[in-house]
Amino acid sequence: MKTLLTTICALICANLSAKDLGTHPVFKHYIGTWTAEGELKGENNVITIKEEWTGKPDGDNAFLIEGTRTINGDTQPFKWAIIYNEGADSYDATISGADGAQMLRFEARASEANLTLELKAITGGGQSAITIIDSFKGEARDVLESKVTSTGDAGQTTLEGVIKHQKEKPAP
């Protein structure tokens, strides 16, 4: 009887602390199929980016974004996994190739007030970073702008730009 009661309490507590990212004020706008393009510019360097991706919730505490990214003509699959960390009340995000290779970890914060998602990864020797700030535009929330900034070990901006995502509208 004690085991049953303990199990029921654990399930109730787990459900109370779970975040349904499919209905979350920020993540619910990522659901669907998207296309994107933009440029990142650095000193003597321009990177063109095109993407096609789909966003969907994965259980209660996770959200997945999967698709293909073309960087300067080279197309590769990618996958974002965003997981709610209830202990820190924040999000952990990883991006990798479709097979899980070349993984990069980001800390993320979602702002329900202004519908933004800020992701930051510490890179290199610990002084450089990649920061992405996603913000939804317009009433329909069908445009997403990703401002990308990469900084070097001395804090200098090494690469920056905007990638504009457009949600595909369902067929009538």
Side-chain angles (χ1 to χ4, degrees), residues 8 18 30 43 58-59 64 90 105 108 116 125-127 142 149 151 159:
I8 291 171
Y30 284 90
E43 194 172 308
D58 185 35
L64 297 177
S90 65
R105 183 186 173 282
T116 59
Q127 301 300 316
D142 59 355
T149 307
T151 56
L159 199 63

Side-chain angles (χ1 to χ4, degrees), residues 55-122:
K56 63 183 178 184
D58 185 35
D60 287 335
N61 284 350
F63 197 89
L64 297 177
I65 295 173
E66 296 179 276
T68 58
R69 176 178 294 136
T70 303
I71 299 175
N72 291 341
D74 180 33
T75 302
Q76 299 289 324
F78 70 92
K79 181 178 181 178
W80 279 97
I82 303 167
I83 299 171
Y84 176 65
N85 179 338
E86 63 187 82
D89 193 26
S90 65
Y91 301 87
D92 296 319
T94 56
I95 185 168
S96 64
D99 61 357
Q102 302 172 350
M103 187 176 294
L104 184 59
R105 183 186 173 282
F106 288 77
E107 291 182 5
R109 299 253 181 240
S111 169
E112 296 177 18
N114 52 10
L115 298 180
T116 59
L117 179 66
E118 182 175 343
L119 302 119
K120 186 171 186 172
I122 304 301

Side-chain angles (χ1 to χ4, degrees), residues 105-164:
R105 183 186 173 282
F106 288 77
E107 291 182 5
R109 299 253 181 240
S111 169
E112 296 177 18
N114 52 10
L115 298 180
T116 59
L117 179 66
E118 182 175 343
L119 302 119
K120 186 171 186 172
I122 304 301
T123 59
Q127 301 300 316
S128 55
I130 299 170
T131 303
I132 303 167
I133 300 174
D134 282 350
S135 58
F136 288 95
K137 305 297 180 189
E139 290 292 317
R141 308 291 189 241
D142 59 355
V143 174
L144 173 67
E145 287 185 1
S146 297
K147 182 180 179 193
V148 179
T149 307
S150 181
T151 56
D153 287 335
Q156 78 281 18
T157 299
T158 57
L159 199 63
E160 66 183 337
V162 175
I163 301 168
K164 186 176 178 181

Side-chain angles (χ1 to χ4, degrees), residues 28-37 50-55 66-68 136 140-144 164-172:
K28 70 180 183 181
H29 296 295
Y30 284 90
I31 296 171
T33 302
W34 297 75
T35 57
E37 63 181 89
K50 291 186 179 186
E51 295 179 346
E52 294 180 357
W53 57 271
T54 301
E66 296 179 276
T68 58
F136 288 95
R141 308 291 189 241
D142 59 355
V143 174
L144 173 67
K164 186 176 178 181
H165 309 258
Q166 179 70 52
K167 185 182 273 189
E168 292 183 8
K169 297 192 183 344

